[in-house]
């Protein structure tokens, strides 16, 4: 198998000689680490990167699924739920997300 050293490639963020017993959470963490590195390489503020990662983690927790399983319906349900919280999220907060 040929590997390519593209930014965010899994072999650049996880050891290639280790096999995960449950590969899905390892892949998810590797995806987030690669995305985090890409954002930092664009000189985004550390807070921006942290906030974005936190949002993706909250969404994954809400759906109880990984990004490759997400659907447009998941996104609609998540954002609709933001308005049913006590207190509800502000429209500007949801738009920002």
């Amino acid at each position: 198998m040929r590997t390519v050293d593209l930014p965010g490639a899994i072999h650049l963020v996880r050891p290639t000689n280790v096999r995960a017993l449950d590969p899905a959470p390892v892949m998810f963490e590797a995806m987030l680490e690669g995305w985090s590195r890409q954002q930092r390489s664009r000189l985004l503020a550390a807070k921006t990167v942290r906030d974005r990662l936190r949002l993706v983690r909250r969404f994954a927790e809400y759906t109880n699924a990984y990004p490759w399983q997400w659907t447009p319906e998941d996104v609609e349900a998540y954002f609709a739920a933001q308005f049913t919280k006590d207190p509800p999220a502000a429209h500007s907060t949801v738009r920002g997300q």
Side-chain angles (χ1 to χ4, degrees), residues 10-78:
I10 192 166
H11 70 275
L12 297 177
V13 294
R14 294 290 177 237
T16 57
N17 62 342
V18 177
R19 297 273 184 215
L21 296 176
D22 186 5
V26 175
M27 176 64 79
F28 181 57
E29 290 303 318
M31 288 171 66
L32 292 180
E33 176 60 28
W35 185 46
S36 176
R37 288 180 183 188
Q38 289 173 354
Q39 292 180 83
R40 289 191 313 263
S41 74
R42 295 191 336 246
L43 303 178
L44 294 178
K47 182 182 182 321
T48 300
V49 175
R50 277 193 314 271
D51 290 348
R52 289 177 175 183
L53 291 171
R54 201 174 2 215
L55 175 60
V56 171
R57 289 183 190 285
R58 277 196 317 265
F59 186 74
E61 185 178 323
Y62 175 83
T63 61
N64 197 30
Y66 293 106
W68 52 91
Q69 299 167 316
W70 293 344
T71 65
E73 292 81 13
D74 292 330
V75 176
E76 291 175 8
Y78 175 79

Side-chain angles (χ1 to χ4, degrees), residues 77-89:
Y78 175 79
F79 287 111
Q82 301 306 302
F83 296 116
T84 63
K85 290 181 174 181
D86 186 26

